[in-house]
Amino acid sequence: MTKQKRFLLQESEIPTQWYNIQADMVNKPLPPLNPATHEPVKVEDFFPLFAEECARQELDQTHSFIDIPEPVLEKYKSYRATPLVRAYDLEKALDTPAHIYFKNESVNPLGSHKINSALAQCYYLKEQGITNVTTETGAGQWGAALSYAARTFGLEAAVYQVKISLQQKPYRSIMMRTFGATVEGSPSMSTRAGKDFITADPTNPGSLGTAISEAIELAISTPNCKYTLGSVLNHVSLHQTVIGLEAEKQMEQAGEYPDIVIACFGGGSNFGGLAFPFLRHNLLDGKQTTFITAEPSSCPKLTRGKFEYDFGDASGYTPLIPMFTLGHDFRPANIHAGGLRYHGAGAIVSQLLKDQYIKAVDIPQLESFQAGLLFAQTEGIIPAPESSHAIAATIREALRCKESGEQKTILFNLSGHGLIDMTAYDQFLNGDLQNYDISDADIAKTLASVPKI
Amino acid sequence: MTKQKRFLLQESEIPTQWYNIQADMVNKPLPPLNPATHEPVKVEDFFPLFAEECARQELDQTHSFIDIPEPVLEKYKSYRATPLVRAYDLEKALDTPAHIYFKNESVNPLGSHKINSALAQCYYLKEQGITNVTTETGAGQWGAALSYAARTFGLEAAVYQVKISLQQKPYRSIMMRTFGATVEGSPSMSTRAGKDFITADPTNPGSLGTAISEAIELAISTPNCKYTLGSVLNHVSLHQTVIGLEAEKQMEQAGEYPDIVIACFGGGSNFGGLAFPFLRHNLLDGKQTTFITAEPSSCPKLTRGKFEYDFGDASGYTPLIPMFTLGHDFRPANIHAGGLRYHGAGAIVSQLLKDQYIKAVDIPQLESFQAGLLFAQTEGIIPAPESSHAIAATIREALRCKESGEQKTILFNLSGHGLIDMTAYDQFLNGDLQNYDISDADIAKTLASVPKI
């Protein structure tokens, strides 16, 4: 008997709304605070920075479902729904009784889930009459997606890419330029924040935190220009829930429901995107699915950070966000999973972790590449180093099932492909990659940068 | 009203047979000849080189449909059917009344159509008890697919990659090594043929012709090792017809039938794969679809070559094949579309062109990149430089429709993505790419290498 491998949705089955988990949470996320007054930030306070509609979504704790605007849905239809795939060959290689499914966001335009929010943010900006957009990017997945989305809706884009990632993955910046975007390595000399970082340490390889500072500074100092973020914030995760909403229908096609849902974790948008629609059923319908975030051992905010109000960027330009954080001064090691090199977690996920709806694990770099290699060799898709963290966590669970004999259903998000990261695979194959240990003392030191409230 | 953009097939609708156009051709392809005796090659004569089943398929002129073996079909199901997409945004940018559809083979494992035949060839070899496989590759699309397919069916793979392509696209050789394959640049010093090329000209950048010679030499001098080819031969095009057979069902879903079918042309397998199932209806049902091959102006075998018996490789190791050729001594310019740098065309396409079932056009390198850029900016997929030739030919036809006001339906094959070719886009964006003119005298000179029969 043939076992079905891929579960597809027709265009008419693509979700027409995003899921806003804030409305259903028992303990709502704490409000972001104005760093000067320590007063809760109001919707209008975000207007100088973000699209007004995104600002409203950011603080919306009442509407469970929010309509996807028609022009965004139209663009979704040119690549969504993405396939849900049963990873039979990976199961076989692991000799596990577990059923492993993955949502394949790697076949999206630009190769990752990022496009789902990039299109929404650029659309809202365009609608509002904005002409220019800035952003930060780590590995470049977000920057590439944003560049294409900006082009689609007729905006000029300027991208700050983390310097070390720009060097490790030169192809991604070419992708951004293919869509007409300007790209600069961060820290750069083009902003006040960048100059400060470079003056303090000319070898600073950059991080998402430094790049966010620079992009925000450019946005607030440029007329008719707004800033967009690729993760962390509530509205970004909201846009990504199209992934989980599709997966829900597709798991139903497969006749299964996930016991475990896994995604890699940088700021939280690909995790939230897949997990929240399933978590909804834990919150409302008594389901008991386990949700696992997979973060790098070298950037362990959820496993070893502290739940505090902290800045979202390295320079302290953002509001204070209630987050699990390593301190905004934290400088992550130069791992290849550039999209996971971020000191904090979004407010929603932080609250859910605190309330024990979510479990966090950390993955050493070498384990992530080992997992990515096995996935490539069995399923034929070379995963992004970020996504390989989810694969590694999946393999751990599948091997646990092998030991216990349990036939659990595991669903993970293949957030992107790794074709732009082949030099990282090259180094791994040559034995030139390493793990990065981080001591409690190191973490205590950067946690000291968390502002006192 | 929403216009449907993507046409998908469920797993149960994936074709279970390939289409063998040889059976339906009015004038059958002439037989390949033994270069020493000039006698037609018999099936058994191919056994030292290819899988026996592939040898049978190569010369099969009677069976219109050939079953896809169950294990190959199982692997197809992990990524097929590929989407058929209506390129509304490209149509809009061109302001054309034409309806443009593309078959998206770029979302396949390893990023191109090549995997469709790689899986079949490796399966047949494994079934036959073979342990080692060799091949040639240009841009590396075929080599990457073959490496994964070899791994899938438990074969050791050795790949000769055209030296200039290996240098232009270093990521692809890492992809091959990710699956455990050995990769060498051709011409290399590891074969007699390679040494001869290097001795004659140490700067020889290689071509598909040189790499084929080396791979064949390795295959026939290694025990339990066979050779596989990524294009040109009849059985390779046969395996690719799964593309066109799917597209046929998907065009039906869309409620249209193509007036024009277009694919880029190197050896012919992506063209044949898409075109033959539609050409069947020209042959049998009186349809009048126009079929267009898009080859590089710098390697114009179909537009300016001669229909002759010639060798398939640069050293004269293969049988003599009836082909449109520029002469096996032809050394193509260093264009980035490495997969199209081949001196000849497969026997089936050559016969069909001779009998005027097919139209050939040639595309200058700069026009191909201009087309690729427009496609990326409108549809969000960065195409392979090879596929950009098909896009350029599509744009020409669509603009012709704009002029005439005709609402033709155009279908082209997006044979692969260009994410590994970002340096080529970089050079194009920087104005560093050029066209390569080739004079009639140059062509006459290399045509002199066609053997006299």
Side-chain angles (χ1 to χ4, degrees):
Chain A
M1 203 200 68
T2 301
K3 300 169 290 185
Q4 192 171 343
K5 289 191 174 170
R6 293 163 88 230
F7 302 90
L8 308 172
L9 298 179
Q10 295 298 333
E11 226 165 88
S12 56
E13 300 170 291
I14 297 174
T16 56
Q17 297 186 308
W18 295 303
Y19 172 57
N20 177 25
I21 196 172
Q22 293 193 75
D24 294 328
M25 285 169 71
V26 182
N27 299 319
K28 306 290 180 197
L30 299 175
L33 300 182
N34 181 313
T37 64
H38 293 185
E39 287 297 312
V41 169
K42 286 190 286 295
V43 167
E44 312 82 71
D45 297 339
F46 281 129
F47 288 177
L49 218 48
F50 301 123
E52 294 180 7
E53 192 53 37
C54 291
R56 277 187 281 272
Q57 293 169 353
E58 186 64 21
L59 298 181
D60 187 335
Q61 301 194 334
T62 47
H63 302 92
S64 299
F65 287 91
I66 292 174
D67 285 346
I68 302 173
E70 195 54 39
V72 174
L73 200 55
E74 275 304 299
K75 286 305 288 184
Y76 279 3
K77 287 180 181 171
S78 67
Y79 67 95
R80 303 205 70 85
T82 60
L84 177 79
V85 186
R86 172 91 182 261
Y88 282 109
D89 290 328
L90 177 61
E91 289 173 19
K92 200 174 148 196
L94 297 171
D95 188 24
T96 177
H99 292 187
I100 303 176
Y101 293 84
F102 64 93
K103 185 72 170 155
N104 188 2
E105 292 289 307
S106 80
V107 293
N108 289 348
L110 291 316
S112 84
H113 68 293
K114 295 290 188 186
I115 187 72
N116 303 325
S117 183
L119 288 169
Q121 293 189 52
C122 287
Y123 165 73
Y124 287 129
L125 288 174
K126 185 64 182 183
E127 271 300 285
Q128 204 183 308
I130 299 300
T131 55
N132 288 60
V133 60
T134 74
T135 198
E136 89 300 329
T137 194
Q141 302 263 31
W142 169 250
L146 193 278
S147 301
Y148 168 59
R151 175 96 200 181
T152 298
F153 289 111
L155 302 168
E156 293 292 327
V159 182
Y160 286 95
Q161 182 170 15
V162 175
K163 201 179 271 174
I164 178 76
S165 290
L166 184 71
Q167 290 159 357
Q168 284 172 339
K169 303 166 212 282
Y171 284 20
R172 275 257 168 62
S173 62
I174 307 172
M175 287 166 71
M176 299 177 219
R177 292 199 294 112
T178 299
F179 298 109
T182 345
V183 189
E184 250 194 295
S186 171
S188 80
M189 293 300 282
S190 71
T191 65
R192 174 63 197 265
K195 280 179 211 156
D196 287 349
F197 295 127
I198 291 174
T199 309
D201 175 6
T203 69
N204 190 326
S207 70
L208 284 167
T210 70
I212 293 174
S213 296
E214 292 203 83
I216 290 182
E217 187 180 320
L218 183 67
I220 55 186
S221 61
T222 307
N224 213 14
C225 178
K226 300 285 174 194
Y227 167 70
T228 58
L229 191 66
S231 190
V232 184
L233 294 174
N234 303 341
H235 66 273
V236 186
S237 296
L238 171 76
H239 304 154
Q240 294 296 351
T241 57
V242 67
I243 301 171
L245 292 165
E246 285 176 5
E248 221 186 316
K249 300 188 189 188
Q250 290 165 312
M251 289 298 304
E252 211 175 301
Q253 276 184 23
E256 305 215 54
Y257 191 87
D259 299 303
I260 306 174
V261 171
I262 298 174
C264 65
F265 199 92
S269 82
N270 106 84
F271 172 78
L274 178 66
F276 292 169
F278 290 99
L279 221 158
R280 173 166 179 257
H281 300 296
N282 277 27
L283 290 168
L284 304 182
D285 311 326
K287 289 275 188 196
Q288 302 213 317
T289 300
T290 302
F291 296 90
I292 301 177
T293 62
E295 66 187 6
S297 299
S298 57
C299 195
K301 62 236 176 193
L302 292 176
T303 49
R304 297 169 67 191
K306 241 176 120 179
F307 185 72
E308 296 278 6
Y309 269 105
D310 197 4
F311 290 108
D313 69 315
S315 291
Y317 285 167
T318 70
L320 291 168
I321 302 171
M323 47 161 60
F324 275 89
T325 179
L326 296 162
H328 63 275
D329 272 359
F330 182 77
R331 276 175 51 177
N334 294 343
I335 57 167
H336 279 277
L340 310 184
R341 295 177 70 250
Y342 183 68
H343 67 278
I348 296 176
V349 166
S350 293
Q351 188 63 46
L352 290 168
L353 180 68
K354 188 160 173 282
D355 295 343
Q356 299 184 310
Y357 287 100
I358 288 173
K359 208 177 120 185
V361 302
D362 67 297
I363 308 284
Q365 172 157 273
L366 293 178
E367 183 181 344
S368 74
F369 272 90
Q370 194 62 54
L373 197 69
L374 180 64
F375 185 76
Q377 293 180 345
T378 50
E379 298 294 325
I381 305 170
I382 297 176
E386 291 83 0
S387 314
S388 292
H389 288 73
I391 299 170
T394 299
I395 291 175
R396 284 187 190 176
E397 293 300 322
L399 293 178
R400 220 164 266 149
C401 287
K402 184 183 173 181
E403 241 170 71
S404 68
E406 286 173 291
Q407 188 205 287
K408 290 193 178 169
T409 299
I410 308 174
L411 166 64
F412 77 87
N413 201 16
L414 183 71
S415 53
H417 67 65
L419 297 181
I420 303 297
D421 307 272
M422 290 318 299
T423 50
Y425 279 90
D426 195 30
Q427 288 169 26
F428 177 66
L429 291 170
N430 296 338
D432 292 339
L433 284 192
Q434 57 171 112
N435 288 328
Y436 293 92
D437 285 330
I438 176 167
S439 69
D440 289 340
D442 284 342
I443 292 179
K445 219 159 112 188
T446 54
L447 272 174
S449 67
V450 172
K452 304 282 167 287
I453 299 192
Chain B
M1 202 202 69
T2 301
K3 299 168 291 184
Q4 192 170 342
K5 288 189 175 173
R6 293 162 88 230
F7 302 89
L8 308 173
L9 298 180
Q10 295 298 333
E11 227 165 87
S12 56
E13 299 170 291
I14 298 174
T16 57
Q17 297 185 308
W18 294 304
Y19 172 58
N20 177 25
I21 196 173
Q22 293 192 75
D24 294 329
M25 285 168 71
V26 182
N27 299 319
K28 306 290 180 197
L30 299 175
L33 301 182
N34 180 314
T37 64
H38 293 184
E39 288 297 310
V41 169
K42 286 190 285 296
V43 168
E44 313 81 71
D45 297 337
F46 280 129
F47 288 178
L49 217 49
F50 300 124
E52 294 180 6
E53 192 54 36
C54 291
R56 276 187 281 272
Q57 292 169 353
E58 186 64 22
L59 298 182
D60 187 334
Q61 301 194 334
T62 47
H63 302 93
S64 298
F65 286 92
I66 292 175
D67 285 346
I68 302 173
E70 194 55 38
V72 174
L73 199 57
E74 275 305 298
K75 288 304 290 185
Y76 278 3
K77 287 179 181 171
S78 67
Y79 67 95
R80 304 206 67 85
T82 60
L84 177 80
V85 186
R86 172 90 182 262
Y88 283 109
D89 291 328
L90 177 62
E91 289 173 19
K92 198 173 148 197
L94 296 171
D95 188 24
T96 175
H99 292 188
I100 303 177
Y101 292 84
F102 65 93
K103 185 72 170 154
N104 187 1
E105 294 289 307
S106 80
V107 293
N108 289 348
L110 290 318
S112 85
H113 69 292
K114 293 291 188 185
I115 187 71
N116 303 325
S117 182
L119 288 169
Q121 293 190 53
C122 286
Y123 165 74
Y124 287 129
L125 288 174
K126 184 64 181 183
E127 272 299 286
Q128 203 183 310
I130 298 300
T131 55
N132 288 60
V133 61
T134 73
T135 197
E136 89 300 329
T137 193
Q141 302 263 31
W142 168 250
L146 193 276
S147 301
Y148 168 58
R151 175 98 199 181
T152 297
F153 289 111
L155 302 168
E156 293 294 325
V159 181
Y160 286 95
Q161 182 170 14
V162 174
K163 202 179 271 174
I164 178 76
S165 290
L166 185 71
Q167 290 159 357
Q168 284 173 340
K169 304 166 211 282
Y171 284 20
R172 276 257 168 63
S173 61
I174 307 172
M175 288 167 71
M176 298 178 220
R177 292 198 295 112
T178 299
F179 298 108
T182 345
V183 188
E184 249 192 296
S186 171
S188 78
M189 292 300 280
S190 70
T191 64
R192 174 62 198 266
K195 279 179 212 157
D196 286 349
F197 295 127
I198 291 174
T199 309
D201 176 4
T203 69
N204 189 328
S207 69
L208 284 166
T210 70
I212 294 174
S213 296
E214 293 204 80
I216 290 183
E217 187 180 319
L218 184 67
I220 54 185
S221 62
T222 307
N224 214 15
C225 178
K226 300 284 173 197
Y227 168 70
T228 58
L229 191 67
S231 190
V232 184
L233 294 174
N234 303 342
H235 66 274
V236 186
S237 296
L238 171 76
H239 304 154
Q240 295 296 351
T241 57
V242 67
I243 302 171
L245 292 166
E246 286 176 6
E248 219 185 317
K249 299 188 190 190
Q250 291 165 312
M251 288 299 303
E252 211 174 300
Q253 276 184 24
E256 305 215 54
Y257 191 87
D259 299 303
I260 307 174
V261 172
I262 298 174
C264 66
F265 200 92
S269 82
N270 107 83
F271 172 78
L274 178 66
F276 291 169
F278 290 99
L279 219 158
R280 175 167 178 256
H281 301 296
N282 278 27
L283 290 169
L284 304 181
D285 311 326
K287 289 275 188 198
Q288 302 214 315
T289 300
T290 302
F291 297 90
I292 301 177
T293 62
E295 65 186 6
S297 299
S298 57
C299 194
K301 61 237 175 190
L302 292 176
T303 48
R304 297 169 68 190
K306 241 178 121 179
F307 186 71
E308 295 278 5
Y309 268 106
D310 197 4
F311 290 107
D313 69 315
S315 289
Y317 286 168
T318 70
L320 291 169
I321 302 172
M323 44 162 61
F324 274 89
T325 180
L326 296 162
H328 62 276
D329 272 0
F330 182 77
R331 277 174 51 175
N334 295 343
I335 56 167
H336 279 277
L340 309 185
R341 296 178 69 250
Y342 184 68
H343 67 278
I348 296 176
V349 167
S350 293
Q351 187 63 46
L352 290 168
L353 180 67
K354 189 161 173 282
D355 295 344
Q356 298 185 311
Y357 286 100
I358 289 173
K359 205 179 122 186
V361 302
D362 67 297
I363 309 284
Q365 173 157 272
L366 293 178
E367 183 182 344
S368 74
F369 273 89
Q370 195 60 55
L373 196 70
L374 179 64
F375 184 76
Q377 292 180 346
T378 50
E379 298 294 325
I381 305 170
I382 297 176
E386 291 83 0
S387 314
S388 292
H389 288 72
I391 299 170
T394 299
I395 292 175
R396 285 187 189 176
E397 293 300 322
L399 293 178
R400 220 163 268 149
C401 286
K402 184 183 173 181
E403 241 169 73
S404 67
E406 286 173 292
Q407 188 206 287
K408 289 193 179 171
T409 299
I410 308 175
L411 167 64
F412 76 88
N413 201 17
L414 184 70
S415 54
H417 67 64
L419 297 180
I420 302 296
D421 307 273
M422 290 317 299
T423 49
Y425 279 89
D426 195 29
Q427 289 169 25
F428 177 67
L429 290 169
N430 296 338
D432 293 339
L433 284 192
Q434 58 171 112
N435 289 329
Y436 293 91
D437 285 330
I438 176 168
S439 69
D440 290 340
D442 284 341
I443 293 178
K445 218 159 114 186
T446 54
L447 272 174
S449 67
V450 172
K452 304 281 168 285
I453 300 191

